[in-house]
């Protein structure tokens, strides 16, 4: 418990430290942006002073330095207007834009939103306004925090997925260990039951009773075999899919309330696929029991097997309460259950058996609240 608490504290400390680092980087980036913006304005004010000097120059004015200052600024887009807001000149702007008066006016509106204009007093009641935009460097710096955030989000997603995958792998190992231990624990009393059954046969107990006890012992052996296969690669055999499915359904049917009406529609011909009988039986049992639970032990259960080219489909349709559409995928997640009692592992294990072991697919084919659900299994015929 203490180890778990320490690990949680460390995790939150790392998250908090990462958050603070991100905030500091963004804050420093913002400060750099503001510093560059101030420096650019200073350059533009210097350019305006040089321009003013040239406008007011006479034969005695030294114009070499102002010309150098004006020619040196080649990054920031500029538009110069007079006191009547008419465009006098423009610099560092695409030639196509300069040739189009409407495009130039549109650009002027944009520049007015980016920076405050610089006023150049030429004489009394005569001034010019310099509108300028951000340089390409400043624009790149402006979008840098967004790029940084995207990188951090991507990195966080990778770390989260790695952590989740590690956690799921640990859980899978835990469940596999528990399953194998359960199989081991069941084995001992099962061996004793087999011995007791042999003794009962010697006592001339009614044959039908012995037959049913024998069936339940076989079922316990099947369950033990199922649990022993969790976490290991099962051996697949070429089996008749129809026969294996019917065997599982008949066993469940004989031990289900007569209030559940089974309707079975399967092809007469054999359909061979690679499967593990014990795990396939577990799949059918989970789906049938879930359907019966959804009907609260009373209703109609339709089981259909269809062959389409190289694919065989098994559909199990109940007349139960139905599943909301937004839960079609959630029902296969470990721990998800709508029952008051239950671990929410049945459909999760079923999906693992179908997808990982038998290379098939399982999905909620159709469901309507208050009318029932159809679960569909799909396998390739080999």
């Amino acid at each position: 418990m203490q180890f778990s608490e320490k690990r949680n504290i460390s995790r939150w400390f790392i998250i908090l430290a990462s958050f603070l680092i991100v905030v500091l980087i963004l804050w420093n980036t913002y400060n750099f942006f503001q510093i560059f913006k101030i420096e650019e304005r200073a350059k533009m004010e210097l350019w305006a002073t040089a321009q003013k000097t040239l406008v007011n120059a006479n034969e005695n004015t030294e114009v070499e330095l102002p010309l150098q200052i004006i020619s040196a600024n080649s990054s920031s887009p500029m538009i110069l207007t007079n006191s009547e807001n008419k465009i006098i000149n423009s610099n560092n702007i695409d030639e196509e834009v300069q040739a189009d008066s409407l495009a130039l006016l549109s650009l002027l509106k944009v520049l007015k939103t980016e920076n405050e204009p610089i006023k150049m007093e030429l004489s009394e009641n005569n001034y010019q306004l310099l509108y300028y935009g951000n340089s390409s460097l400043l624009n790149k710096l402006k979008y840098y925090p967004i790029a940084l955030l995207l990188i951090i989000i991507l990195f966080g997603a990778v770390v989260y997925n790695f952590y989740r995958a590690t956690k799921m792998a640990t859980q899978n190992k835990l469940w596999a260990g528990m399953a194998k231990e359960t199989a081991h624990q069941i084995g001992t009393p099962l061996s004793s039951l087999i011995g007791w059954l042999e003794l009962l046969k010697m006592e001339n107990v009614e044959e039908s009773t012995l037959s049913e006890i024998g069936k339940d012992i076989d079922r316990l052996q099947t369950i033990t075999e199922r649990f022993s296969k969790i976490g290991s690669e099962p051996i697949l055999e070429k089996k008749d899919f129809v026969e294996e499915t019917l065997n599982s359904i008949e066993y469940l049917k004989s031990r289900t309330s007569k209030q559940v009406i089974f309707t079975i529609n399967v092809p007469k011909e054999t359909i061979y696929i690679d499967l593990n009988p014990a795990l396939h039986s577990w799949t059918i049992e989970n789906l049938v029991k879930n359907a019966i639970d959804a009907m609260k032990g009373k209703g109609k259960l339709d089981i259909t097997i269809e062959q389409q080219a190289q694919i065989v489909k098994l559909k199990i349709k109940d007349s139960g309460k139905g599943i909301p559409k937004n839960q079609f995928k959630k029902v296969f997640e470990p721990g998800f259950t709508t029952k008051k009692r239950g671990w929410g592992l049945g459909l999760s294990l079923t999906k693992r058996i179908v997808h990982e072991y038998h290379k098939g697919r399982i999905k909620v084919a159709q469901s309507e609240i208050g009318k029932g659900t159809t679960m569909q299994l799909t396998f390739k015929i080999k």
Side-chain angles (χ1 to χ4, degrees):
M1 184 67 179
Q2 289 179 351
F3 173 75
S4 178
E5 288 177 356
K6 287 180 179 178
R7 189 168 61 180
N8 285 331
I9 291 170
S10 299
R11 188 180 302 143
W12 280 110
F13 176 77
I14 292 170
I15 292 171
L16 182 61
S18 302
F19 178 76
L20 289 174
I21 290 169
V22 171
V23 170
L24 286 172
I25 291 172
L26 293 176
W27 175 251
N28 282 328
T29 304
Y30 174 78
N31 284 336
F32 284 141
F33 181 80
Q34 294 301 320
I35 291 169
F36 280 123
K37 201 170 180 67
I38 292 169
E39 287 184 356
E40 276 205 355
R41 186 165 184 87
K43 289 178 182 179
M44 296 310 301
E45 288 176 347
L46 188 61
W47 188 95
T49 302
Q51 177 69 16
K52 181 179 176 181
T53 301
L54 288 177
V55 172
N56 294 327
N58 54 40
E59 64 275 5
N60 298 320
T61 305
E62 178 61 48
V63 296
E64 185 177 351
L65 181 59
L67 285 172
Q68 287 180 358
I69 293 172
I70 288 173
S71 60
N73 195 336
S74 59
S75 58
S76 301
M78 298 177 288
I79 294 179
L80 197 62
T81 68
N82 59 19
S83 55
E84 296 177 355
N85 206 31
K86 290 183 180 179
I87 297 175
I88 302 171
N89 192 13
S90 59
N91 288 324
N92 305 328
I93 296 173
D94 190 86
E95 291 181 359
E96 292 182 2
V97 176
Q98 292 190 47
D100 188 342
S101 58
L102 291 177
L104 199 59
L105 285 172
S106 179
L107 178 60
L108 178 61
K109 289 181 181 179
V110 174
L111 296 184
K112 286 180 179 180
T113 61
E114 289 188 3
N115 296 288
E116 285 291 325
I118 298 173
K119 190 174 183 181
M120 298 184 297
E121 295 283 354
L122 303 177
S123 61
E124 191 175 353
N125 297 325
N126 183 20
Y127 62 89
Q128 293 179 350
L129 293 174
L130 174 63
Y131 295 94
Y132 68 97
N134 297 327
S135 64
S136 57
L137 177 62
L138 202 59
N139 284 328
K140 289 177 182 178
L141 189 61
K142 181 170 64 176
Y143 293 113
Y144 172 75
I146 298 173
L148 181 65
L149 279 175
L150 290 175
I151 293 170
I152 291 169
I153 290 170
L154 181 63
F155 179 74
V158 170
V159 171
Y160 172 76
N161 285 330
F162 174 77
Y163 169 74
R164 187 180 180 188
T166 304
K167 186 177 180 181
M168 288 181 68
T170 304
Q171 288 177 343
N172 286 338
K173 288 181 180 178
L174 177 62
W175 286 115
M178 289 178 64
K180 290 181 182 294
E181 180 62 22
T182 301
H184 177 71
Q185 294 294 334
I186 292 175
T188 303
L190 185 59
S191 300
S192 298
L193 284 173
I194 294 171
W196 283 109
L197 180 61
E198 294 300 320
L199 288 174
L200 287 174
K201 288 179 180 178
M202 296 172 61
E203 295 293 331
N204 296 321
V205 177
E206 190 175 341
E207 186 63 30
S208 60
T209 302
L210 292 174
S211 175
E212 290 302 316
I213 293 173
K215 287 180 181 178
D216 287 333
I217 288 175
D218 289 341
R219 192 65 177 176
L220 282 172
Q221 288 178 322
T222 301
I223 293 170
T224 304
E225 185 182 359
R226 289 174 183 171
F227 278 103
S228 67
K229 293 181 185 302
I230 294 296
S232 58
E233 193 69 28
I235 298 173
L236 301 182
E237 306 172 46
K238 197 170 285 295
K239 293 284 185 179
D240 180 7
F241 181 77
V242 176
E243 182 183 358
E244 293 296 331
T245 302
L246 287 177
N247 288 341
S248 299
I249 291 171
E250 287 301 323
Y251 177 84
L252 294 168
K253 186 178 177 182
S254 65
R255 285 158 175 76
T256 302
S257 167
K258 300 298 181 183
Q259 292 182 315
V260 177
I261 301 171
F262 283 78
T263 303
I264 302 171
N265 182 18
V266 299
K268 293 180 180 179
E269 63 271 13
T270 57
I271 301 174
Y272 288 102
I273 68 169
D274 292 336
L275 56 79
N276 182 279
L279 293 181
H280 179 66
S281 174
W282 198 355
T283 297
I284 302 302
E285 183 177 321
N286 280 336
L287 293 176
V288 170
K289 284 185 175 180
N290 271 359
I292 293 171
D293 287 343
M295 298 187 295
K296 296 183 178 178
K298 182 180 180 180
K300 188 178 179 182
L301 194 62
D302 297 330
I303 293 140
T304 306
I305 296 178
E306 300 174 351
Q307 182 179 355
Q308 299 176 358
Q310 294 301 307
I311 290 175
V312 60
K313 293 182 179 180
L314 168 63
K315 296 180 181 179
I316 300 176
K317 181 181 179 182
D318 63 61
S319 57
K321 59 185 179 180
I323 303 170
K325 196 169 184 179
N326 61 353
Q327 293 183 0
F328 277 16
K329 292 183 178 180
K330 286 184 179 180
V331 295
F332 297 106
E333 294 178 2
F336 181 85
T337 180
T338 57
K339 303 174 188 176
K340 291 183 179 179
R341 295 180 180 180
W343 293 89
L345 295 175
L347 286 178
S348 174
L349 281 170
T350 301
K351 182 179 179 180
R352 181 172 181 176
I353 292 168
V354 173
H355 283 231
E356 295 185 20
Y357 297 153
H358 292 145
K359 309 305 177 186
R361 288 291 177 266
I362 183 171
K363 68 176 183 178
V364 181
Q366 188 178 359
S367 188
E368 191 173 346
I369 301 298
K371 292 189 177 181
T373 301
T374 301
M375 303 295 292
Q376 178 178 293
L377 302 178
T378 306
F379 300 96
K380 290 183 180 179
I381 299 173
K382 296 183 180 180

